[in-house]
Coordinates of all heavy atoms in Angstrom, one line a residue:
M907 N 112.2 95.3 90.4 CA 111.0 95.2 89.6 C 110.4 96.6 89.3 O 110.5 97.5 90.1 CB 110.0 94.3 90.3 CG 108.9 93.9 89.6 SD 107.8 92.7 90.4 CE 108.7 91.2 90.4
Q908 N 109.8 96.7 88.1 CA 109.2 98.0 87.6 C 108.0 98.3 88.5 O 107.2 97.5 88.9 CB 108.8 97.9 86.2 CG 110.0 97.6 85.2 CD 110.9 98.9 85.2 OE1 110.4 100.0 85.3 NE2 112.2 98.6 85.0
P909 N 107.9 99.6 88.8 CA 106.6 100.0 89.6 C 105.3 99.6 88.9 O 104.4 99.3 89.6 CB 106.8 101.5 89.7 CG 108.2 101.8 89.5 CD 108.7 100.7 88.6
A910 N 105.2 99.7 87.6 CA 104.0 99.4 86.9 C 103.7 97.9 87.1 O 102.6 97.5 87.2 CB 104.1 99.7 85.5
T911 N 104.8 97.0 87.0 CA 104.6 95.6 87.3 C 104.1 95.3 88.6 O 103.1 94.5 88.9 CB 105.9 94.8 87.0 OG1 106.4 95.2 85.7 CG2 105.7 93.3 87.1
L912 N 104.6 96.0 89.6 CA 104.2 95.9 91.0 C 102.6 96.3 91.1 O 101.9 95.6 91.8 CB 105.0 96.7 92.0 CG 106.4 96.1 92.2 CD1 107.1 97.1 93.0 CD2 106.3 94.8 93.0
A913 N 102.3 97.3 90.5 CA 100.9 97.9 90.5 C 100.0 96.8 89.9 O 98.9 96.6 90.4 CB 100.8 99.2 89.8
L914 N 100.4 96.2 88.8 CA 99.6 95.2 88.2 C 99.4 94.0 89.0 O 98.3 93.3 89.1 CB 100.1 94.8 86.8 CG 99.9 96.0 85.8 CD1 100.7 95.5 84.4 CD2 98.5 96.3 85.5
I915 N 100.5 93.5 89.7 CA 100.4 92.4 90.6 C 99.5 92.7 91.7 O 98.7 91.9 92.1 CB 101.8 92.0 91.1 CG1 102.6 91.4 90.0 CG2 101.8 91.0 92.2 CD1 104.1 91.3 90.3
T916 N 99.6 93.9 92.3 CA 98.7 94.3 93.4 C 97.3 94.3 92.9 O 96.4 93.9 93.7 CB 99.1 95.8 93.9 OG1 100.5 95.7 94.3 CG2 98.3 96.2 95.1
L917 N 97.0 94.7 91.7 CA 95.7 94.9 91.2 C 95.1 93.5 90.9 O 93.9 93.2 91.2 CB 95.7 95.8 90.0 CG 94.4 96.1 89.3 CD1 93.4 96.9 90.3 CD2 94.6 96.9 88.0
F918 N 95.8 92.6 90.3 CA 95.3 91.5 89.7 C 95.4 90.2 90.5 O 94.7 89.2 90.3 CB 95.8 91.2 88.3 CG 95.3 92.1 87.2 CD1 96.2 93.0 86.6 CD2 94.0 92.1 86.9 CE1 95.7 93.9 85.7 CE2 93.5 93.0 85.9 CZ 94.3 93.8 85.3
S919 N 96.2 90.2 91.6 CA 96.3 88.9 92.4 C 95.0 88.6 93.1 O 94.6 87.4 93.0 CB 97.4 89.1 93.4 OG 97.2 90.1 94.3
P920 N 94.2 89.5 93.7 CA 92.9 89.1 94.2 C 91.9 88.6 93.1 O 91.2 87.7 93.3 CB 92.4 90.3 94.9 CG 93.6 91.1 95.2 CD 94.5 90.9 94.1
L921 N 92.0 89.2 91.9 CA 91.1 88.8 90.8 C 91.5 87.4 90.3 O 90.5 86.6 90.1 CB 91.2 89.9 89.6 CG 90.4 89.5 88.4 CD1 88.9 89.6 88.8 CD2 90.8 90.5 87.3
V922 N 92.7 87.1 90.2 CA 93.1 85.7 89.8 C 92.7 84.8 90.9 O 92.1 83.6 90.5 CB 94.6 85.7 89.5 CG1 95.1 84.3 89.4 CG2 95.0 86.5 88.4
A923 N 92.9 85.1 92.1 CA 92.4 84.1 93.2 C 90.9 83.9 93.2 O 90.4 82.8 93.4 CB 92.9 84.7 94.5
A924 N 90.2 85.0 93.0 CA 88.7 84.8 92.9 C 88.3 84.0 91.7 O 87.3 83.2 91.9 CB 88.0 86.2 92.8
T925 N 88.9 84.1 90.6 CA 88.6 83.3 89.5 C 88.9 81.9 89.7 O 88.1 81.0 89.4 CB 89.4 83.8 88.2 OG1 89.1 85.2 88.0 CG2 89.0 83.1 87.0
V926 N 90.1 81.6 90.3 CA 90.5 80.2 90.6 C 89.5 79.6 91.6 O 89.1 78.5 91.4 CB 91.9 80.1 91.0 CG1 92.3 78.7 91.6 CG2 92.9 80.5 89.9
N927 N 89.2 80.3 92.6 CA 88.2 79.9 93.6 C 86.9 79.6 93.0 O 86.3 78.6 93.3 CB 88.1 80.9 94.8 CG 89.2 80.9 95.7 OD1 90.0 79.9 95.8 ND2 89.4 81.9 96.5
G928 N 86.4 80.5 92.1 CA 85.1 80.3 91.5 C 85.0 79.1 90.6 O 84.0 78.5 90.5
L929 N 86.1 78.9 89.9 CA 86.1 77.8 88.9 C 86.5 76.5 89.4 O 86.0 75.4 89.0 CB 87.0 78.2 87.7 CG 86.6 79.4 86.9 CD1 87.7 79.7 85.8 CD2 85.3 79.1 86.2
F930 N 87.5 76.4 90.3 CA 88.0 75.1 90.7 C 87.9 74.8 92.2 O 87.9 73.6 92.6 CB 89.5 75.1 90.4 CG 89.8 75.3 88.9 CD1 90.5 76.5 88.6 CD2 89.4 74.4 87.9 CE1 90.7 76.8 87.2 CE2 89.6 74.7 86.6 CZ 90.3 75.8 86.3
L931 N 87.8 75.7 93.1 CA 87.8 75.4 94.5 C 86.5 75.7 95.2 O 86.5 76.1 96.4 CB 88.9 76.3 95.2 CG 90.3 76.0 94.7 CD1 91.4 76.9 95.3 CD2 90.7 74.5 94.9
R932 N 85.4 75.7 94.5 CA 84.1 76.0 95.0 C 83.7 75.1 96.2 O 83.1 75.6 97.2 CB 83.1 75.9 93.9 CG 81.8 76.5 94.3 CD 81.0 76.8 93.0 NE 80.7 78.2 93.0 CZ 80.2 78.9 92.1 NH1 79.9 78.2 90.9 NH2 79.9 80.1 92.2
R933 N 84.0 73.9 96.2 CA 83.6 72.9 97.2 C 84.7 72.7 98.3 O 84.6 71.8 99.2 CB 83.2 71.6 96.6 CG 82.1 71.7 95.6 CD 80.8 71.8 96.3 NE 79.7 71.8 95.3 CZ 78.7 72.6 95.4 NH1 78.6 73.5 96.4 NH2 77.7 72.6 94.5
R934 N 85.8 73.3 98.1 CA 86.9 73.1 99.1 C 87.2 74.3 99.8 O 88.0 75.2 99.5 CB 88.1 72.7 98.3 CG 87.9 71.4 97.5 CD 89.1 70.9 96.9 NE 88.8 69.7 96.2 CZ 89.3 69.1 95.2 NH1 90.3 69.8 94.6 NH2 88.9 68.0 94.8
G935 N 86.5 74.5 101.0 CA 86.5 75.7 101.7 C 87.9 76.1 102.2 O 88.3 77.3 102.0
P936 N 88.6 75.2 102.9 CA 89.9 75.6 103.4 C 90.9 76.1 102.4 O 91.7 77.0 102.5 CB 90.4 74.4 104.2 CG 89.1 73.7 104.6 CD 88.2 73.9 103.4
A937 N 90.9 75.3 101.3 CA 91.8 75.7 100.2 C 91.4 77.0 99.5 O 92.3 77.9 99.3 CB 91.7 74.5 99.1
A938 N 90.2 77.2 99.3 CA 89.6 78.5 98.8 C 90.0 79.7 99.8 O 90.5 80.8 99.3 CB 88.2 78.5 98.5
A939 N 89.8 79.5 101.0 CA 90.1 80.5 102.0 C 91.6 80.8 102.1 O 92.1 82.0 102.1 CB 89.6 80.1 103.4
S940 N 92.4 79.8 102.0 CA 93.9 79.9 102.0 C 94.4 80.7 100.8 O 95.2 81.6 100.9 CB 94.6 78.6 102.0 OG 94.2 77.9 103.2
L941 N 93.8 80.4 99.6 CA 94.2 81.1 98.3 C 93.7 82.5 98.4 O 94.5 83.4 98.0 CB 93.6 80.4 97.2 CG 93.9 81.0 95.8 CD1 95.4 80.9 95.5 CD2 93.2 80.3 94.7
S942 N 92.6 82.8 99.0 CA 92.1 84.2 99.1 C 93.0 85.0 100.0 O 93.4 86.2 99.7 CB 90.7 84.2 99.6 OG 89.8 83.7 98.6
V943 N 93.3 84.4 101.1 CA 94.1 85.1 102.1 C 95.6 85.3 101.5 O 96.2 86.4 101.7 CB 94.2 84.4 103.5 CG1 95.3 85.0 104.4 CG2 92.8 84.5 104.1
L944 N 96.1 84.4 100.8 CA 97.4 84.4 100.2 C 97.4 85.6 99.1 O 98.3 86.4 99.1 CB 97.8 83.2 99.5 CG 99.1 83.1 98.8 CD1 100.2 83.3 99.8 CD2 99.3 81.9 97.9
A945 N 96.3 85.6 98.4 CA 96.2 86.7 97.3 C 96.1 88.1 98.0 O 96.8 89.0 97.5 CB 95.0 86.4 96.4
A946 N 95.4 88.2 99.1 CA 95.3 89.5 99.8 C 96.7 89.8 100.4 O 97.0 91.0 100.4 CB 94.2 89.4 100.8
G947 N 97.4 88.9 100.9 CA 98.7 89.1 101.4 C 99.7 89.5 100.4 O 100.5 90.4 100.6
V948 N 99.6 88.9 99.2 CA 100.5 89.3 98.1 C 100.1 90.7 97.7 O 101.1 91.6 97.4 CB 100.3 88.3 96.9 CG1 101.0 88.9 95.6 CG2 100.9 87.0 97.2
S949 N 98.9 91.1 97.6 CA 98.5 92.4 97.3 C 99.0 93.4 98.3 O 99.4 94.5 98.0 CB 97.0 92.4 97.2 OG 96.5 93.6 96.6
L950 N 98.9 93.0 99.6 CA 99.4 93.9 100.7 C 100.9 94.2 100.6 O 101.3 95.3 100.6 CB 99.0 93.3 102.1 CG 99.5 94.0 103.3 CD1 98.9 95.5 103.4 CD2 99.3 93.2 104.5
V951 N 101.6 93.1 100.4 CA 103.1 93.2 100.3 C 103.5 94.0 99.1 O 104.3 94.9 99.3 CB 103.7 91.8 100.4 CG1 105.2 91.9 100.1 CG2 103.5 91.1 101.8
T952 N 103.0 93.7 98.0 CA 103.4 94.4 96.8 C 102.9 95.9 96.9 O 103.6 96.8 96.4 CB 102.9 93.8 95.5 OG1 101.5 93.6 95.6 CG2 103.6 92.5 95.3
G953 N 101.7 96.1 97.4 CA 101.3 97.5 97.6 C 102.1 98.3 98.5 O 102.4 99.4 98.2
L954 N 102.5 97.7 99.7 CA 103.3 98.4 100.6 C 104.7 98.7 100.0 O 105.3 99.7 100.3 CB 103.5 97.7 101.9 CG 102.2 97.7 102.8 CD1 102.4 96.8 104.0 CD2 101.8 99.0 103.1
Y955 N 105.2 97.6 99.3 CA 106.5 97.9 98.6 C 106.5 99.0 97.6 O 107.3 99.8 97.5 CB 107.0 96.6 98.0 CG 108.4 96.6 97.4 CD1 109.5 96.6 98.3 CD2 108.6 96.8 96.0 CE1 110.8 96.7 97.8 CE2 109.9 96.8 95.5 CZ 110.9 96.8 96.4 OH 112.3 96.9 95.8
L956 N 105.4 99.0 96.9 CA 105.2 100.1 95.9 C 105.1 101.4 96.6 O 105.7 102.4 96.2 CB 103.9 99.8 95.1 CG 103.6 100.7 94.0 CD1 104.7 100.5 92.9 CD2 102.2 100.4 93.4
I957 N 104.4 101.5 97.7 CA 104.2 102.8 98.5 C 105.6 103.3 99.0 O 105.9 104.5 98.9 CB 103.2 102.6 99.6 CG1 101.8 102.4 99.0 CG2 103.3 103.8 100.6 CD1 100.8 101.9 100.0
L958 N 106.4 102.3 99.5 CA 107.6 102.7 100.1 C 108.8 103.0 99.2 O 109.7 103.8 99.4 CB 108.1 101.6 101.1 CG 107.2 101.4 102.3 CD1 107.6 100.2 103.1 CD2 107.1 102.6 103.2
T959 N 108.7 102.5 97.9 CA 109.9 102.6 97.0 C 109.6 103.4 95.8 O 110.5 104.0 95.2 CB 110.4 101.2 96.6 OG1 109.3 100.5 95.9 CG2 110.8 100.4 97.8
A960 N 108.3 103.5 95.4 CA 108.1 104.1 94.0 C 107.7 105.6 94.1 O 107.0 105.9 95.1 CB 107.0 103.3 93.3
G961 N 108.1 106.4 93.2 CA 107.6 107.7 93.1 C 106.5 107.8 92.1 O 106.0 106.7 91.6
P962 N 106.0 108.9 91.9 CA 104.9 109.1 90.9 C 105.2 108.6 89.6 O 106.3 108.7 89.1 CB 104.6 110.5 90.9 CG 105.2 111.1 92.2 CD 106.4 110.2 92.5
F963 N 104.3 107.8 88.9 CA 104.4 107.4 87.6 C 103.1 107.2 86.9 O 102.0 107.2 87.6 CB 105.2 106.0 87.5 CG 104.5 104.9 88.1 CD1 103.7 104.1 87.3 CD2 104.6 104.5 89.4 CE1 103.0 103.0 87.8 CE2 103.9 103.5 90.0 CZ 103.1 102.7 89.1
S964 N 103.1 107.2 85.6 CA 101.9 106.9 84.8 C 102.3 106.0 83.7 O 103.3 106.1 83.1 CB 101.2 108.2 84.3 OG 102.0 108.8 83.5
V965 N 101.4 105.1 83.4 CA 101.6 104.2 82.2 C 100.3 104.1 81.5 O 99.2 104.0 82.1 CB 102.0 102.7 82.7 CG1 102.1 101.8 81.5 CG2 103.1 102.7 83.6
A966 N 100.4 104.3 80.1 CA 99.1 104.2 79.3 C 99.4 103.4 78.1 O 100.5 103.3 77.6 CB 98.7 105.6 78.9
A967 N 98.4 102.6 77.6 CA 98.4 101.8 76.5 C 97.2 102.1 75.7 O 96.1 102.2 76.2 CB 98.6 100.4 76.8
N968 N 97.3 102.0 74.4 CA 96.1 102.1 73.5 C 95.4 100.8 73.5 O 95.9 99.8 73.3 CB 96.6 102.4 72.1 CG 95.4 102.8 71.2 OD1 94.3 102.6 71.6 ND2 95.8 103.3 70.1
W969 N 94.1 100.9 74.0 CA 93.3 99.6 74.1 C 92.4 99.4 73.0 O 92.2 98.2 72.6 CB 92.5 99.8 75.4 CG 91.8 98.5 75.8 CD1 92.4 97.3 76.1 CD2 90.4 98.4 76.1 NE1 91.4 96.5 76.5 CE2 90.1 97.1 76.5 CE3 89.3 99.3 76.0 CZ2 88.9 96.7 76.7 CZ3 88.1 98.9 76.3 CH2 87.9 97.6 76.7
L970 N 91.8 100.4 72.3 CA 90.9 100.3 71.3 C 91.0 101.4 70.3 O 91.0 102.6 70.7 CB 89.5 100.2 71.9 CG 88.3 100.0 70.9 CD1 88.4 98.5 70.4 CD2 87.0 100.1 71.7
D971 N 91.1 101.1 69.0 CA 91.0 102.0 68.0 C 89.9 101.7 67.0 O 89.8 100.7 66.5 CB 92.3 102.0 67.1 CG 93.3 102.9 67.6 OD1 93.0 103.9 68.3 OD2 94.6 102.6 67.5
L972 N 89.0 102.8 66.9 CA 87.9 102.6 65.9 C 87.8 103.9 65.1 O 87.2 104.9 65.5 CB 86.5 102.4 66.6 CG 86.3 101.2 67.5 CD1 85.1 101.2 68.3 CD2 86.3 100.0 66.5
G973 N 88.5 103.9 63.9 CA 88.6 105.1 63.1 C 89.2 106.2 63.8 O 90.4 106.2 64.2
S974 N 88.5 107.3 64.0 CA 89.1 108.5 64.8 C 88.9 108.4 66.3 O 89.5 109.2 67.0 CB 88.4 109.7 64.2 OG 87.1 109.7 64.6
F975 N 88.3 107.4 66.7 CA 88.0 107.1 68.2 C 89.2 106.2 68.7 O 89.4 105.1 68.2 CB 86.6 106.5 68.4 CG 86.4 106.2 69.9 CD1 86.1 107.2 70.8 CD2 86.5 104.9 70.3 CE1 85.9 106.9 72.1 CE2 86.2 104.6 71.7 CZ 86.0 105.6 72.6
S976 N 89.8 106.7 69.8 CA 90.8 105.9 70.5 C 90.6 105.9 72.0 O 90.2 106.9 72.5 CB 92.1 106.6 70.2 OG 93.2 105.9 70.9
L977 N 90.7 104.7 72.5 CA 90.5 104.5 73.9 C 91.7 104.0 74.6 O 92.3 102.9 74.1 CB 89.4 103.5 74.2 CG 88.9 103.3 75.5 CD1 88.4 104.5 76.2 CD2 87.9 102.2 75.6
D978 N 92.2 104.7 75.5 CA 93.5 104.4 76.2 C 93.2 103.8 77.6 O 92.2 104.2 78.2 CB 94.4 105.6 76.4 CG 95.0 106.0 75.1 OD1 95.0 105.2 74.1 OD2 95.3 107.2 75.0
L979 N 94.0 102.9 78.1 CA 93.9 102.3 79.4 C 95.2 102.5 80.1 O 96.3 102.2 79.5 CB 93.6 100.8 79.2 CG 93.4 100.0 80.6 CD1 92.1 100.5 81.3 CD2 93.3 98.6 80.3
G980 N 95.2 103.0 81.3 CA 96.4 103.3 81.9 C 96.3 103.3 83.5 O 95.3 103.1 84.1
L981 N 97.5 103.4 84.1 CA 97.6 103.5 85.5 C 98.3 104.9 85.8 O 99.2 105.3 85.2 CB 98.5 102.4 86.1 CG 98.1 101.0 85.9 CD1 99.2 100.1 86.3 CD2 96.9 100.7 86.7
L982 N 97.8 105.6 86.9 CA 98.3 106.7 87.4 C 98.6 106.6 88.9 O 97.7 106.2 89.6 CB 97.4 107.9 87.2 CG 97.8 109.3 87.8 CD1 99.1 109.8 87.1 CD2 96.7 110.3 87.8
Y983 N 99.9 106.7 89.2 CA 100.3 106.6 90.6 C 100.8 107.9 91.1 O 101.8 108.4 90.6 CB 101.3 105.5 90.8 CG 101.7 105.2 92.2 CD1 100.9 104.5 93.1 CD2 102.9 105.6 92.7 CE1 101.3 104.2 94.4 CE2 103.3 105.4 94.0 CZ 102.5 104.7 94.8 OH 102.9 104.5 96.1
N984 N 100.2 108.5 92.1 CA 100.6 109.7 92.7 C 100.5 109.6 94.2 O 100.0 108.5 94.7 CB 99.9 110.9 92.1 CG 98.4 110.8 92.2 OD1 97.9 110.1 93.0 ND2 97.7 111.5 91.3
P985 N 100.8 110.7 95.0 CA 100.6 110.5 96.5 C 99.1 110.2 96.9 O 98.9 109.4 97.9 CB 101.0 111.9 97.0 CG 102.0 112.4 96.0 CD 101.5 111.9 94.7
L986 N 98.1 110.7 96.2 CA 96.8 110.4 96.6 C 96.4 109.0 96.3 O 95.8 108.3 97.1 CB 95.8 111.3 95.8 CG 94.3 111.1 96.2 CD1 94.0 111.3 97.7 CD2 93.5 112.0 95.3
S987 N 96.9 108.4 95.2 CA 96.7 107.0 94.9 C 97.5 106.1 95.9 O 97.0 105.0 96.3 CB 97.1 106.6 93.5 OG 97.5 107.6 92.7
A988 N 98.6 106.6 96.4 CA 99.4 105.8 97.4 C 98.6 105.7 98.7 O 98.6 104.6 99.3 CB 100.8 106.5 97.6
L989 N 98.0 106.8 99.1 CA 97.2 106.7 100.3 C 96.0 105.8 100.1 O 95.7 105.0 101.0 CB 96.6 108.2 100.6 CG 95.7 108.3 101.8 CD1 96.5 107.9 103.1 CD2 95.2 109.7 101.9
M990 N 95.3 105.9 99.0 CA 94.1 104.9 98.8 C 94.6 103.5 98.6 O 93.9 102.6 99.2 CB 93.4 105.4 97.5 CG 92.5 106.6 97.7 SD 91.3 106.4 98.9 CE 90.3 105.0 98.2
L991 N 95.7 103.3 98.0 CA 96.2 102.0 97.9 C 96.6 101.4 99.3 O 96.2 100.2 99.6 CB 97.6 102.0 97.1 CG 98.3 100.6 96.9 CD1 97.4 99.7 96.1 CD2 99.6 100.9 96.2
F992 N 97.2 102.2 100.2 CA 97.4 101.7 101.6 C 96.2 101.4 102.3 O 96.0 100.3 102.9 CB 98.1 102.9 102.3 CG 98.4 102.5 103.7 CD1 99.4 101.5 104.1 CD2 97.7 103.1 104.7 CE1 99.5 101.2 105.4 CE2 97.9 102.8 106.1 CZ 98.8 101.9 106.5
V993 N 95.1 102.2 102.2 CA 93.9 101.9 102.9 C 93.2 100.6 102.4 O 92.8 99.7 103.1 CB 92.9 103.1 102.8 CG1 91.5 102.8 103.3 CG2 93.5 104.3 103.5
V994 N 93.2 100.5 101.0 CA 92.4 99.4 100.4 C 93.1 98.1 100.6 O 92.5 97.1 101.0 CB 92.3 99.7 98.9 CG1 91.7 98.5 98.2 CG2 91.3 100.8 98.7
V995 N 94.5 98.0 100.5 CA 95.1 96.7 100.6 C 95.2 96.3 102.1 O 95.0 95.2 102.4 CB 96.6 96.7 100.0 CG1 96.5 96.9 98.5 CG2 97.5 97.7 100.6
L996 N 95.3 97.3 103.0 CA 95.4 96.9 104.4 C 94.0 96.5 104.9 O 93.9 95.4 105.6 CB 95.8 98.1 105.3 CG 96.0 97.8 106.8 CD1 97.1 96.8 107.0 CD2 96.3 99.1 107.5
V997 N 93.0 97.2 104.6 CA 91.6 96.8 105.0 C 91.2 95.5 104.3 O 90.6 94.6 105.0 CB 90.6 97.9 104.7 CG1 89.2 97.5 105.0 CG2 90.9 99.1 105.6
G998 N 91.5 95.3 103.1 CA 91.2 94.1 102.4 C 91.9 92.8 103.0 O 91.3 91.8 103.2
F999 N 93.2 93.0 103.4 CA 93.8 91.9 104.1 C 93.3 91.6 105.4 O 93.1 90.4 105.7 CB 95.3 92.2 104.2 CG 96.1 91.1 104.8 CD1 96.4 90.0 104.1 CD2 96.6 91.3 106.1 CE1 97.1 88.9 104.8 CE2 97.4 90.3 106.7 CZ 97.6 89.1 106.1
V1000 N 93.0 92.6 106.2 CA 92.4 92.4 107.5 C 91.0 91.8 107.4 O 90.7 90.9 108.2 CB 92.3 93.8 108.3 CG1 91.5 93.6 109.6 CG2 93.7 94.2 108.6
I1001 N 90.2 92.1 106.4 CA 88.9 91.5 106.2 C 89.1 90.0 105.9 O 88.3 89.1 106.4 CB 88.1 92.3 105.1 CG1 87.6 93.6 105.7 CG2 86.9 91.4 104.7 CD1 87.0 94.5 104.6
H1002 N 90.0 89.7 105.1 CA 90.3 88.3 104.7 C 90.7 87.5 105.9 O 90.2 86.4 106.1 CB 91.3 88.2 103.6 CG 90.7 88.3 102.2 ND1 90.4 89.5 101.7 CD2 90.4 87.4 101.4 CE1 89.9 89.4 100.4 NE2 89.9 88.1 100.2
V1003 N 91.6 88.0 106.7 CA 92.0 87.3 107.9 C 91.0 87.1 108.9 O 90.8 86.0 109.4 CB 93.3 88.0 108.5 CG1 93.7 87.4 109.8 CG2 94.5 87.9 107.6
F1004 N 90.2 88.1 109.2 CA 89.1 88.0 110.2 C 88.0 87.2 109.7 O 87.3 86.6 110.5 CB 88.6 89.4 110.6 CG 89.5 90.0 111.6 CD1 90.3 91.2 111.3 CD2 89.6 89.5 112.9 CE1 91.1 91.8 112.2 CE2 90.4 90.1 113.9 CZ 91.2 91.2 113.5
S1005 N 87.8 87.1 108.4 CA 86.7 86.3 107.8 C 87.0 84.8 108.1 O 86.0 84.0 108.1 CB 86.5 86.6 106.4 OG 87.5 86.0 105.6
L1006 N 88.3 84.4 108.3 CA 88.5 83.0 108.5 C 87.8 82.6 109.8 O 87.4 81.5 110.0 CB 90.1 82.8 108.6 CG 90.9 83.0 107.4 CD1 92.3 82.8 107.7 CD2 90.4 82.0 106.3
G1007 N 87.8 83.4 110.8 CA 87.1 83.1 112.1 C 85.7 83.1 112.0 O 85.1 82.1 112.4
Y1008 N 85.0 84.1 111.4 CA 83.6 84.1 111.5 C 82.9 83.3 110.4 O 81.7 83.1 110.4 CB 83.0 85.5 111.5 CG 83.2 86.4 110.3 CD1 82.4 86.3 109.2 CD2 84.2 87.4 110.4 CE1 82.6 87.1 108.1 CE2 84.4 88.2 109.2 CZ 83.5 88.1 108.2 OH 83.7 88.9 107.1
M1009 N 83.7 82.9 109.4 CA 83.1 82.0 108.3 C 83.6 80.6 108.5 O 83.5 79.8 107.5 CB 83.6 82.5 106.9 CG 83.1 83.9 106.6 SD 81.3 83.9 106.3 CE 81.2 83.0 104.8
S1010 N 84.2 80.2 109.6 CA 84.8 78.9 109.8 C 83.7 77.8 109.7 O 84.0 76.6 109.4 CB 85.6 78.8 111.1 OG 84.7 79.0 112.2
D1011 N 82.5 78.1 110.1 CA 81.4 77.1 110.0 C 80.8 76.8 108.6 O 80.2 75.8 108.4 CB 80.2 77.5 111.0 CG 80.7 77.6 112.4 OD1 81.6 76.9 112.8 OD2 80.1 78.3 113.2
D1012 N 81.1 77.7 107.7 CA 80.5 77.6 106.4 C 81.5 76.8 105.5 O 82.6 76.8 105.5 CB 80.3 79.0 105.7 CG 79.1 79.6 106.4 OD1 78.3 79.0 107.0 OD2 79.0 80.9 106.4

């Protein structure tokens, strides 16, 4: 799988889970919690795989053109981003797992 695809999966899996939880699973606590932990786990696994296998890369796409104004949207992955990715996905996953215990009454 391409490194940019892994980066997008890592980035958007929690966002998709939050959207599904907010729209459809609002009254179903265990299902919403399971989906959130699953999304955080997917983000952790793809992030760690990206850290261990990918080298530096960058991807950019033109997002908006207005006459002479151009706005690009892109991803930059380098050793500093790998360190931040590791911290964020690991802490995010641990928070999701521990929240199952202290939010069990809600």
